[in-house]
């Protein structure tokens, strides 16, 4: 199975300041088609996960442009350019290169 | 636009079975590559199984083989996940989700609202 790790696991943030979360996989997530099969989700308290970034760097529909994803292979980053209060929750990365699909442990983002 | 609405919470005894429903709207259930993911209280996300559009078959995570069954009712556009021989460790919120319509399983979106299953004697 592909093991996903994230850092940090807890991230207190100041509104208006940037934030960054790292996600690493135990093997490359590059598919034969050239895409990195890595997605980012935000799970707000009491809600289902919502897709933020797909294929490593593409913002999902309706996601504010302060969110960006980058990386390739086995090293990925989610950045929030200016954190807003509504961005609190747990951020997960997920690989869909091979089954079983696996998730990172999550990064809990809250306001300082 | 695809929407997924799940059935309500369940409380089950150890050893029993549970069936969670996922009603699809905006598309036919047969058009989707439905997946099931669960989340134990205060824990992370765990993929359980789903439909693989490349091989056109259902795939189950090893730990759920023999205990989990995914089915669909095309007449009502509803997908079901049944988990048998329940134990306390199966207490979790169960989510249905899907890949893109007709597409490869490159991401999962949208997600159902989740169904809480409590296993307790």
């Amino acid at each position: 199975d592909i093991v996903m790790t994230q850092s940090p696991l807890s991230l207190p943030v100041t509104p208006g300041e940037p934030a960054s979360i790292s996600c690493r996989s135990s093997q490359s997530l590059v598919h034969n088609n050239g895409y990195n099969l890595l997605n980012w989700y935000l799970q707000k308290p009491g809600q289902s996960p919502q897709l933020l970034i797909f294929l490593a760097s593409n913002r999902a529909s309706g996601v504010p442009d302060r969110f960006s994803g980058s990386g390739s292979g086995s090293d990925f980053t989610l950045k929030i350019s200016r954190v807003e209060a509504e961005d609190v929750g747990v951020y997960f990365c997920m690989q869909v290169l091979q089954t079983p699909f696996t998730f990172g442990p999550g990064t809990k983002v809250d306001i300082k | 636009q695809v929407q997924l609405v799940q059935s309500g919470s369940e409380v089950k005894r150890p050893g029993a079975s549970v069936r969670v429903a996922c009603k699809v709207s905006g598309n036919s259930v047969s058009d989707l590559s439905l997946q099931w993911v669960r989340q134990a209280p205060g824990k992370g996300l765990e993929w359980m199984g789903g439909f693989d559009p490349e091989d056109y078959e259902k795939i189950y995570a090893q730990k759920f083989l023999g205990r989990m069954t995914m089915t669909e009712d095309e007449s009502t556009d509803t997908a079901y996940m049944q988990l048998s021989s329940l134990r306390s460790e199966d207490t979790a919120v169960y989510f249905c989700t899907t890949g893109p319509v007709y597409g490869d399983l490159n991401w999962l979106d949208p997600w159902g609202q989740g169904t809480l299953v409590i296993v307790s004697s």
Side-chain angles (χ1 to χ4, degrees), chain B residues 32-35 49-53 56-59 70 72 105:
Chain B
L32 304 180
S33 301
L34 279 167
Q35 311 291 307
F51 183 78
D52 178 356
Y56 216 77
E57 63 180 6
K58 294 170 188 171
I59 299 179
M70 295 177 288
E72 301 79 31
L105 209 50

Side-chain angles (χ1 to χ4, degrees), chain A residues 2 4 23-31 34-39 72-76 94-98:
Chain A
I2 297 176
M4 307 296 292
C23 172
R24 289 194 167 93
S25 55
S26 60
Q27 63 188 75
S28 174
L29 300 183
V30 180
H31 191 269
Y35 290 114
N36 285 275
L37 297 192
L38 182 284
N39 305 313
S72 184
S74 59
D75 197 352
F76 302 90
M94 176 193 185
Q95 67 82 19
V96 291
L97 178 68
Q98 64 181 229

Side-chain angles (χ1 to χ4, degrees), chain B residues 91-106:
Chain B
T91 293
V93 176
Y94 290 77
F95 296 100
C96 61
T97 179
T98 183
V101 179
Y102 299 125
D104 294 329
L105 209 50
N106 290 336

Side-chain angles (χ1 to χ4, degrees), chain B residues 14 17 26 30 35 42 47 53-54 67 71-72 78 82 93 97 110 112 117:
Chain B
S17 297
S30 57
Q35 311 291 307
W47 178 81
E54 286 193 21
R67 217 163 57 93
T71 56
E72 301 79 31
T78 303
Q82 179 162 315
V93 176
T97 179
V117 175

Side-chain angles (χ1 to χ4, degrees), chain B residues 81-92:
Chain B
M81 186 283 298
Q82 179 162 315
L83 191 62
S84 60
S85 302
L86 290 169
R87 30 207 189 236
S88 58
E89 310 89 88
D90 294 318
T91 293

Side-chain angles (χ1 to χ4, degrees), chain B residues 19-39:
Chain B
R19 192 176 77 157
V20 177
C22 176
K23 169 73 174 170
V24 175
S25 62
N27 266 95
S28 299
V29 66
S30 57
D31 295 337
L32 304 180
S33 301
L34 279 167
Q35 311 291 307
W36 292 89
V37 174
R38 75 177 186 180
Q39 185 172 38

